[in-house]
Amino acid sequence: MEKLEALKISSMRPRSNILDRPLSKGKSEVSQSIVALLFSEIVQYSQSRVFTVPELQTRLHELGQDVGTRIIDLYFVRERSSKRETKLTQMLLFVKTTVWKNLFGKEAEKLEHANDDERTYYIIEKEPLVNTFISVPKDKSSLNCANFTAGIVEAVLTHCGFPCKVTAHWHKGTTYMVKFEDFVIARDKQMEEK
């Protein structure tokens, strides 16, 4: 009898739409092994359609851009109370913390500004999740699957009004080099003066 009443009560609760749930509550719904399996399939699928490592990295970057576009749209649909960042440093911190936590369950390790170029920033991640479960053959040792993540970051920043190019490099683990358009830096300086 108690089970029947509990069943009635649970069926009377309003069910929330998946698009209405915050991203931060959804990260524990998918296991890392499933993500690893799906990403490994993406890499294998992409690899079967290209001939060289640079082509494969470009393909992964393009797929990452598609994901990044959808991620930022989904974030702003779900998190209605969040504000749109207008300053470059705040936007980069948003990517390093919020975007990274929603995608990978943790923040990126570091965010650095290049000493010699005001347009260049680095997001550093020692062990990217996308490289963790990929076995790279010796003949493709230069392959960095983190180009997928670089595509995501590029799409997020570009669609938030900070056009840039993002590339992944083997340095201190994986370093994402973010190179902004000149007008983004000029706009940010102008905003600081006000």
Side-chain angles (χ1 to χ4, degrees):
M1 185 70 177
E2 288 177 23
K3 289 181 182 180
L4 185 61
E5 286 180 25
L7 183 62
K8 284 181 184 178
I9 291 172
S10 68
S11 66
M12 292 171 36
R13 290 186 193 138
R15 300 202 179 198
S16 65
N17 185 339
I18 192 166
L19 293 175
D20 292 332
R21 283 190 261 157
L23 281 176
S24 58
K25 291 185 180 175
K27 68 182 171 199
S28 62
E29 291 177 12
V30 178
S31 72
Q32 273 191 349
S33 60
I34 295 296
V35 171
L37 174 68
L38 287 173
F39 186 70
S40 127
E41 289 298 319
I42 288 170
V43 172
Q44 289 177 32
Y45 173 81
S46 300
Q47 186 176 3
S48 69
R49 283 154 178 71
V50 298
F51 299 104
T52 65
V53 171
E55 287 175 349
L56 177 56
Q57 291 184 152
T58 300
R59 180 72 181 129
L60 290 172
H61 191 272
E62 290 166 354
L63 290 170
Q65 286 177 317
D66 290 341
V67 171
T69 301
R70 287 165 177 76
I71 287 290
I72 199 64
D73 288 344
L74 182 61
Y75 177 79
F76 285 115
V77 165
R78 287 184 176 175
E79 305 293 333
R80 293 182 182 112
S81 62
S82 65
K83 66 178 183 136
R84 183 176 150 315
E85 298 296 344
T86 56
K87 293 187 178 177
L88 181 60
T89 307
Q90 292 303 315
M91 187 64 205
L92 285 166
L93 287 171
F94 169 77
V95 169
K96 177 190 174 285
T97 57
T98 306
V99 172
W100 233 263
K101 279 182 187 176
N102 286 311
L103 288 173
F104 308 116
K106 63 181 178 101
E107 288 185 20
E109 274 83 6
K110 290 183 183 177
L111 173 64
E112 296 179 358
H113 188 231
N115 294 329
D116 57 342
D117 185 6
E118 66 181 354
R119 296 174 42 206
T120 305
Y121 288 80
Y122 303 105
I123 298 172
I124 300 168
E125 188 176 28
K126 289 183 180 149
E127 291 184 36
L129 181 65
V130 295
N131 285 344
T132 305
F133 303 104
I134 301 294
S135 300
V136 179
K138 289 182 182 181
D139 63 326
K140 292 182 170 71
S141 62
S142 64
L143 174 64
N144 190 343
C145 291
N147 277 289
F148 180 77
T149 305
I152 293 172
V153 172
E154 183 174 315
V156 166
L157 289 168
T158 299
H159 288 284
C160 286
F162 298 88
C164 62
K165 293 291 177 202
V166 181
T167 53
H169 304 274
W170 294 110
H171 179 70
K172 299 179 184 177
T174 294
T175 298
Y176 303 94
M177 185 171 78
V178 184
K179 195 165 193 91
F180 290 98
E181 300 286 334
D182 288 327
F183 80 88
V184 173
I185 303 302
R187 180 183 66 197
D188 200 53
K189 285 181 181 177
Q190 191 176 31
M191 289 177 70
E192 286 178 6
E193 291 172 3
K194 290 183 180 182

